[in-house]
Amino acid sequence: MDSLISESVYYARHFRLPGFNEKIQQKLRSARVLIVGMGGLGCPVALYLAGAGIGMITLCDADEVSATNLHRQVLFDTSCIGQKKIAIAAARLQAINPYIHIETICQYVNAQLLVDLMPRFDVVIDCTDNFDAKYAINDAAGTFGVPLVYGSIFQFEGQVSVFHHPTEKYPKGLSYRDLHSEAPPPALAQNCGDAGVIGVLPGVIGTLQANEAIKVITGLGETLSGFLLTFDALSTTTRRLALAKRDHAKVMQEMSDDIVYSELLNRMKSALPPVLIDVRELDERQALSIGGEHIPLAALPQHVMDLPRNRDIIVYCKSGMRSAKAVLYLRSVMSGVRILHLKGGIDACNGGDFTCKI
């Protein structure tokens, strides 16, 4: 390290900010932050928090660098392939800021590990790409009252929020389960490896997560607690959606929200009819159909970006089983859109007039 570099020089541009003084920097210096996942989101989160001067950063991941990571995971290069992500990340972060401490945990998270870890930290940042980890992180953070900075990416869209952090309306904040009360069916839950992702997206979302963590720690500005920020890379647009606490006693009723055939007919005649989607297989549709778009259940992840966000969506199948799964999946990736399914499917339509498609 150049002997001419001091902490006051390192953070000089912070101190030029209105209201940002040594007391604020000390809050960052004293903070302990857990970053779970060192992939596309974890890399920019760790880079900017290291630069900001977070005193203790703990990286938790057991993955190794692969060639397919390199277009978006900016801490790594081709020489890193096959090596542990956290080892490379720790060395590079320490080189970026010698005034902080980096700790590594070479494990994939599970409920017990999180229970052991969570009390040590002031903030936890979810940079994972699977639902099991997200729910485990959320539940542990909620148990110990640790603010959780959430991030998620899917193809061209990303989401950011802050959970378990007080708001005026909710003194204990909201939970990830208030956004998504349960995970979609495993067969439909895709990560970047399955669905693909534009390389810049995790950079945008991860940087926003780092910004939220800084605000939580310092008290500067207004956090996204109580809100969900969505970002669409194709249109370069954002939406800030207000969240509300779910009545968890009614979750199962909500998740089975359905619509009967007669109500569907009326809805389709309205000024702004819902989008109707048939999730059956092609041979079933050819034998009997009430119309709508045809997207088989297994193909939904490839078509979700094409679905409108400004209309309700109603899904149907033969008996209602597949459409209920489709609803769970669509709700997990289309926040703010009302999604229903046809109760009992076509089988429950009691001989309705299918000669005139909806």
Side-chain angles (χ1 to χ4, degrees):
M1 180 180 68
D2 191 324
S3 60
L4 296 177
I5 298 177
S6 66
E7 282 194 82
S8 61
V9 171
Y10 192 99
Y11 303 121
R13 293 302 181 265
H14 272 179
F15 298 135
R16 289 179 179 268
L17 293 169
F20 201 113
N21 51 32
E22 176 58 36
K23 184 177 179 180
I24 297 296
Q25 189 63 51
Q26 182 57 43
K27 289 183 178 182
L28 295 173
R29 189 182 293 116
S30 300
R32 301 159 299 168
V33 174
L34 172 63
I35 302 174
V36 185
M38 279 307 300
L41 294 174
C43 285
V45 167
L47 276 168
Y48 282 105
L49 291 186
I54 299 299
M56 164 69 84
I57 297 176
T58 300
L59 312 176
C60 183
D61 200 338
D63 201 10
E64 298 174 350
V65 178
S66 69
T68 59
N69 297 151
L70 300 181
H71 85 298
R72 67 191 183 281
Q73 298 183 15
V74 292
L75 278 172
F76 314 126
D77 58 45
T78 53
S79 69
C80 304
I81 293 174
Q83 299 181 54
K84 290 293 184 181
K85 291 180 179 180
I86 57 169
I88 299 163
R92 294 194 172 172
L93 295 172
Q94 200 69 77
I96 288 170
N97 190 343
Y99 300 107
I100 64 173
H101 180 69
I102 307 294
E103 178 186 54
T104 61
I105 299 173
C106 190
Q107 294 186 53
Y108 294 114
V109 292
N110 56 58
Q112 185 57 55
L113 176 62
L114 287 165
V115 166
D116 295 339
L117 287 176
M118 202 63 67
R120 295 173 43 198
F121 295 97
D122 302 303
V123 178
V124 58
I125 306 182
D126 173 12
C127 299
T128 62
D129 64 355
N130 68 87
F131 284 102
D132 287 345
K134 288 188 179 298
Y135 283 102
I137 295 166
N138 171 78
D139 294 348
T143 297
F144 292 98
V146 177
L148 164 61
V149 180
Y150 156 78
S152 178
I153 54 175
F154 181 79
Q155 295 183 340
F156 298 99
E157 290 190 350
Q159 301 179 346
V160 185
S161 189
V162 177
F163 299 118
H164 310 298
H165 185 60
T167 70
E168 185 175 329
K169 187 175 181 180
Y170 303 109
K172 294 184 178 180
L174 296 175
S175 164
Y176 178 63
R177 291 184 182 274
D178 292 316
L179 176 63
H180 301 306
S181 56
E182 63 180 84
L188 294 178
Q190 295 190 320
N191 58 25
C192 293
D194 301 320
V197 62
I198 188 73
V200 299
L201 181 62
V204 174
I205 300 302
T207 302
L208 290 171
Q209 285 182 276
N211 188 53
E212 290 304 305
I214 290 169
K215 290 189 291 182
V216 168
I217 292 164
T218 63
L220 293 173
E222 179 185 353
T223 73
L224 282 171
S225 185
F227 296 92
L228 177 73
L229 181 75
T230 66
F231 173 76
D232 185 333
L234 291 181
S235 61
T236 318
T237 55
T238 61
R239 291 190 301 164
R240 193 168 184 260
L241 308 172
L243 301 178
K245 185 169 288 293
R246 289 180 185 265
D247 181 347
H248 294 285
K250 298 180 180 178
V251 161
M252 293 310 297
Q253 176 183 349
E254 175 190 313
M255 297 309 292
S256 63
D257 205 0
D258 51 36
I259 186 172
V260 297
Y261 183 60
S262 59
E263 185 181 355
L264 173 61
L265 288 174
N266 291 332
R267 292 284 303 277
M268 296 304 292
K269 296 173 185 177
S270 66
L272 187 64
V275 177
L276 183 64
I277 301 176
D278 179 358
V279 295
R280 300 172 302 157
E281 298 302 315
L282 180 59
D283 59 338
E284 296 176 277
R285 181 177 174 85
Q286 290 173 336
L288 182 65
S289 173
I290 58 173
E293 298 185 37
H294 180 227
I295 309 176
L297 181 62
L300 267 181
Q302 286 74 49
H303 294 273
V304 70
M305 294 296 298
D306 302 324
L307 299 177
R309 263 64 171 175
N310 63 343
R311 295 161 63 188
D312 292 353
I313 294 175
I314 298 177
V315 186
Y316 75 92
C317 64
K318 182 177 186 293
S319 66
M321 294 295 291
R322 281 171 289 179
S323 59
K325 293 180 180 180
V327 166
L328 285 174
Y329 169 70
L330 290 173
R331 283 177 173 160
S332 74
V333 296
M334 297 181 70
S335 300
V337 180
R338 189 179 185 207
I339 301 168
L340 311 170
H341 77 110
L342 181 61
K343 184 176 182 179
I346 287 181
D347 286 351
C349 292
N350 297 322
D353 181 12
F354 297 116
T355 59
C356 181
K357 294 182 179 179
I358 296 174

